[in-house]
Amino acid sequence: MDFFEHQQKARGYTRWLILYLTLAVVLITLAINGAVYGVARLVGWFQEPLSVWMTEPWWILTSGLVLLVVLGTSLIRMGQLSSGGGKAVAEMVGATPVDRSTKDPALRRLINAVEEMSIASGVRQPALYVWQGESGINAFVAGLDPSQTVLVVTEGALEHLNRDQLQGVIGHEYSHIFNGDVRINTRLIGILAGVLLIGQAGLFVLRSMRYSGSSRSRNSGQAMLAVLALGAALSVIGFIGLFFGRLIQSAVSRQREFLADAAAVQYTRNPEGIAGALAVIGHHYWGGRVAAKHAEDMAHICFEETRKLTLMATHPPIKERIRRIAPGFRLEASQREKIESAKAPPADKTPRQRPHRGINTAQLGRPTPEGLLYASALLASIPRPISSSLRNPRAAKAVVYSLLLAESQGGEEDGLLILQQQEGHDLKNLTANLLSLWRQQEKRLRLPVVELAIPHLKSLPLQEIDAFLERIDTLVKLDKKLSLFEYLLRVLLYSQLKDLDRVKKPGTRSLAQVEKDALLLLSVLSHSGHEEDAVAGDAFNKAARELFGKEAQRLDESACRPTELHKALTALAQLAPLEKKKLLEAISACILHDEEISAEEAELLRAVCEVLEVPLPPLQAELSMEKTE
């Protein structure tokens, strides 16, 4: 099953969640009504049969109150998550954001592993958080939109896992992003809030009864009996809520954990990495348990169990997970492993195997071992002045400014003057130094460096982000024309930095509804990647036949302006997942018509996939491998 099929299938899970929730609410409502009826009969307030009770106003009042509490709590929590996304979940559990300029070795190891996985998979880097004060070894991803996704790891994971084990855990979590699990899991936190509230209320009643039982009561014996009976009933019903919460969580989570474990092995080709992480959890005193008050809410979303439970566990047993991915792995071996950071392989160790040519839709979002090695080599090839600037949000702005000015034709001095006036002398000087450095670099570094800068830019205050984007637009307009690269850069920045709190709705449109937009995109691709007009025309017709079953009229290059391309991409972003898959396959046919992929085509592809929200692994790895053959 590829990226698009996973995205399409993920939508069907929401209907099952609603069905499970409805069943849970109905049974809880019936149980509470039964409890109230039993208490009323016990104290002599109501002696009629149950059938009569169900026709009384008390039945309607009790049912309405239960629905109000359960559904109201779920709706409130879902509203909080919709507005805050993954950040709201991280803050809910008390996690703190990672400063990407940190020099802490454990945090640097985490940041480097995430950067490598993102470059290798084409998946946007999630915001990083540490679950402070949690000794258990655990992690999770959360978010309703790619721009809002967060990756949270516990302090225990950073302390006790070595680099290979941490990378295995990260690969596991990236699989949840790729498969669409992260959106469903985050929604489930809100959906279950009301059901779990009943269980939490039951536990509260139990504790309250312990203290009230020893205190002197001024109520009548009959009233006290009613309170005790209702309290006991609510406690039992509360456990029913917890039971159904666990049932829903386990139904969603257990099989997906096996799939994510297998994906982590596929990504890294190192089964001992994730197997070692699981073994460390199994031997650790706290395991994966967390002490946070929302541990029950988070059970289905974490890498391992947050509570020491066997009944209705949300995750398969650790031994079974290890057996499936590394049958010969010995748990005792993990106790002797020391925490160490593996050095990135040198640039000349880039693998020479010939991968799939063009866009392999079966591998979208799935980092390969070759891709991870390429990512490590690419990170190592970034000049130190640029890489060190990427560790500071303000300096990261200079990296992007300098890259943009390096592509400008005659507007460098005016651009630096604008930066001196609006950003200060220091940032202007840093931009000027980086500007001369960029002119010596290969084009393949441009967009990966921008993607590395974006997580740092996101940490800026929203007002400063808006000002930064305005300056980008000012610099773009200096030479009074919008080049394709300038447009691509703006697409990357605006798609990930603008409207961070807005959750995008999944697309539902068909290719027939956006045929003109798709043909414009194919026209742009044919002009960009093929110098000879006849070859470009053949490439366009090949892609059009694959997409619509017929040849079409290719637009002239003058009609393929970046502004028109932007309108087309905005419309194409509303395609349903399986329709996006067909579009990407047609794009691949257009690009590979001449059996070559230029750096410009690769950059254009990355921007297209960014707008379509399709993770694209690095095509530059294919280019460098093919050149050595």
Side-chain angles (χ1 to χ4, degrees), residues 335-354:
Q335 295 176 316
R336 299 189 298 270
E337 293 182 359
K338 296 179 180 179
I339 298 176
E340 60 181 6
S341 296
K343 295 182 179 179
D348 61 355
K349 291 298 181 68
T350 305
R352 304 305 181 194
Q353 296 93 325
R354 186 183 184 93

Side-chain angles (χ1 to χ4, degrees), residues 188-309:
L188 189 56
I189 295 173
I191 290 173
L192 289 179
V195 174
L196 293 176
L197 177 68
I198 300 296
Q200 292 157 359
L203 293 175
F204 175 78
V205 170
L206 272 179
R207 297 188 187 100
S208 300
M209 287 172 61
R210 188 194 329 170
Y211 296 105
S212 63
S214 60
S215 62
R216 185 173 60 184
S217 174
R218 298 181 180 179
N219 297 326
S220 65
Q222 199 175 55
M224 175 58 73
L225 181 62
V227 171
L228 290 174
L230 184 59
L234 284 176
S235 299
V236 174
I237 295 169
F239 283 114
I240 293 176
L242 289 175
F243 171 81
F244 271 100
R246 278 274 164 173
L247 176 65
I248 295 172
Q249 288 173 327
S250 62
V252 170
S253 179
R254 285 177 68 91
Q255 190 59 34
R256 292 185 173 197
E257 294 306 312
F258 281 132
L259 294 175
D261 288 344
V265 174
Q266 178 187 359
Y267 297 166
T268 63
R269 279 191 200 158
N270 181 16
E272 293 191 359
I274 188 169
L278 289 167
V280 170
I281 293 174
H283 281 280
H284 191 259
Y285 177 78
W286 286 105
R289 298 193 297 278
V290 294
K293 63 179 181 179
H294 291 285
E296 190 65 48
D297 304 38
M298 307 296 298
H300 66 288
I301 207 171
C302 287
F303 177 74
E304 180 48 35
E305 291 284 353
T306 58
R307 289 282 188 258
K308 192 174 183 178
L309 297 173

Side-chain angles (χ1 to χ4, degrees), residues 124 145-149 458 495-496 499-500 502 504 613:
R124 294 179 186 178
D145 187 82
S147 62
Q148 298 179 336
T149 304
K458 282 184 177 180
S495 64
Q496 297 198 46
D499 298 327
L500 294 179
R502 180 170 60 89
K504 301 177 183 127
E613 294 191 345

Side-chain angles (χ1 to χ4, degrees), residues 345-570:
D348 61 355
K349 291 298 181 68
T350 305
R352 304 305 181 194
Q353 296 93 325
R354 186 183 184 93
H356 184 276
R357 297 173 55 80
I359 306 172
N360 183 0
T361 55
Q363 287 297 325
L364 288 175
R366 291 174 170 167
T368 62
E370 292 80 11
L372 288 172
L373 287 174
Y374 169 79
S376 296
L378 185 141
L379 290 172
S381 68
I382 297 174
R384 187 171 183 80
I386 295 177
S387 61
S388 60
S389 298
L390 289 173
R391 297 185 180 183
N392 178 282
R394 183 166 170 79
K397 292 197 295 182
V399 172
V400 180
Y401 289 147
S402 61
L403 176 56
L404 186 57
L405 290 176
E407 296 299 317
S408 177
Q409 297 180 1
E412 298 92 336
E413 291 185 5
D414 291 339
L416 291 174
L417 180 60
I418 291 173
L419 292 179
Q420 180 168 328
Q421 294 170 346
Q422 299 184 4
E423 291 279 16
H425 188 71
D426 292 342
L427 193 71
K428 173 257 183 183
N429 286 342
L430 177 58
T431 302
N433 293 335
L434 296 176
L435 175 59
S436 59
L437 192 60
W438 269 121
R439 289 179 174 141
Q440 306 169 27
Q441 305 307 312
E442 299 178 30
K443 289 184 177 181
R444 69 187 183 94
L445 287 180
R446 296 189 301 188
L447 292 190
V449 166
V450 174
E451 290 168 347
L452 291 172
I454 284 174
H456 301 274
L457 297 172
K458 282 184 177 180
S459 66
L460 295 169
L462 290 178
Q463 187 175 359
E464 192 170 347
I465 290 176
D466 289 339
F468 167 72
L469 293 176
E470 288 178 6
R471 290 185 194 105
I472 290 294
D473 288 339
T474 301
L475 297 179
V476 166
K477 295 175 183 177
L478 283 176
D479 55 6
K480 297 181 180 180
K481 63 180 180 180
L482 179 65
S483 69
L484 185 58
F485 174 76
E486 289 171 337
Y487 167 71
L488 299 180
L489 180 62
R490 290 184 74 254
V491 165
L492 281 177
L493 294 174
Y494 270 82
S495 64
Q496 297 198 46
L497 296 178
K498 194 69 174 173
D499 298 327
L500 294 179
D501 294 332
R502 180 170 60 89
V503 178
K504 301 177 183 127
K505 295 182 180 179
T508 57
R509 303 183 74 179
S510 66
L511 282 166
Q513 294 174 296
V514 293
E515 181 174 345
K516 290 183 179 179
D517 302 291
L519 293 176
L520 187 144
L521 173 59
L522 294 178
S523 297
V524 173
L525 286 166
S526 66
H527 288 299
S528 300
H530 308 90
E531 294 182 0
E532 297 182 12
D533 189 66
V535 177
D538 291 342
F540 172 84
N541 286 325
K542 181 179 180 181
R545 285 194 299 271
E546 182 160 330
L547 196 57
F548 298 110
K550 60 182 181 181
E551 293 187 358
Q553 181 64 40
R554 182 168 66 108
L555 297 177
D556 293 335
E557 193 167 1
S558 59
C560 298
R561 297 184 299 273
T563 52
E564 299 302 317
L565 175 61
H566 180 69
K567 294 177 184 178
L569 289 177
T570 302

